[in-house]
Amino acid sequence: MQRARTIEAKEKRREALLAAALDEFIEKGFAPARMDDIAKRAGLSKGTLYLYFDSKDALFESLVTTHALPNVEKMEQVLAQFDGFRPALDALMTMAPHLIRNTDMPRLMKVLIANSSAFPETVLAYRQQVIDRVLALITKLIERGQASGEVHCEDAGLTARLVIAPIVMSGIWHMVFAQTEGGAFDMDKLFLLHGRYLQAALLEHGGAS
């Protein structure tokens, strides 16, 4: 029991440090953020921080592992349940608003966009582990639809980018403009429309049932 409590306490400290780091990166930028300030924001000492993470790069890499990759894995699991392109697309369009509103993925994306030159290796790793993985997932989904005759498009890989482009754009909008006057919009309706337009463009007979 004592060991379990110790493990739990360590995990809570780790989570507190990651949350503090993300807040610092958002507020100050990656390069100006200081390990001292991250530790202070978490209510811990700098020495404690270094017991868990030896650099800001390590902190951000852990943020990706903790917050982004589980969502990618969930997306893979959800879409794997469907044989056809249409229900899988509907599921993706339902997931998109949740990913934007209720996860830290848009905040991670904002840090990457604002500070891409500060840690290029980490940016590349994020692209390979998250963006490329999502693109590959959607590409395979489209290719399966092409093979079955359900989907008609010229280039599955480029079409996958068109599928996720509004998700990326909406994530950026949510972080930068949503709290400004007139900046809010109906995200659920947006992705409902996006799904309908994609079906009309890609499915045989305009996506008719």
Side-chain angles (χ1 to χ4, degrees), residues 18 30 52-63 122:
L18 288 174
F30 184 82
Y52 290 83
F53 306 101
D54 60 9
S55 67
K56 290 187 293 183
D57 290 78
L59 274 163
F60 191 84
E61 289 168 7
S62 188
L63 282 167
T122 303

Side-chain angles (χ1 to χ4, degrees), residues 53-127:
F53 306 101
D54 60 9
S55 67
K56 290 187 293 183
D57 290 78
L59 274 163
F60 191 84
E61 289 168 7
S62 188
L63 282 167
V64 172
T65 301
T66 302
H67 296 297
L69 290 184
N71 286 303
V72 175
E73 292 167 0
K74 182 178 180 180
M75 189 182 303
E76 291 171 338
Q77 293 167 2
V78 169
L79 297 188
Q81 300 175 20
F82 303 100
D83 294 327
F85 178 81
R86 183 203 299 271
L89 180 64
D90 288 342
L92 178 62
M93 295 301 104
T94 299
M95 288 181 65
H98 166 75
L99 292 173
I100 293 169
R101 288 192 297 242
N102 302 318
T103 77
D104 280 320
M105 292 186 74
R107 303 181 78 209
L108 292 172
M109 187 165 51
K110 183 179 179 181
V111 175
L112 285 168
I113 293 171
N115 305 273
S116 59
S117 61
F119 53 149
E121 293 183 359
T122 303
V123 171
L124 176 61
Y126 183 90
R127 198 208 78 196

Side-chain angles (χ1 to χ4, degrees), residues 2 6 27 38 57 60 79 87 92-93 133 140 146 160-161 178 184 191 201 203:
Q2 182 61 40
T6 301
E27 291 182 13
I38 292 171
D57 290 78
F60 191 84
L79 297 188
L92 178 62
M93 295 301 104
R133 191 165 162 182
K140 289 178 181 178
Q146 287 178 305
R161 292 175 181 270
F191 286 106
L203 300 187

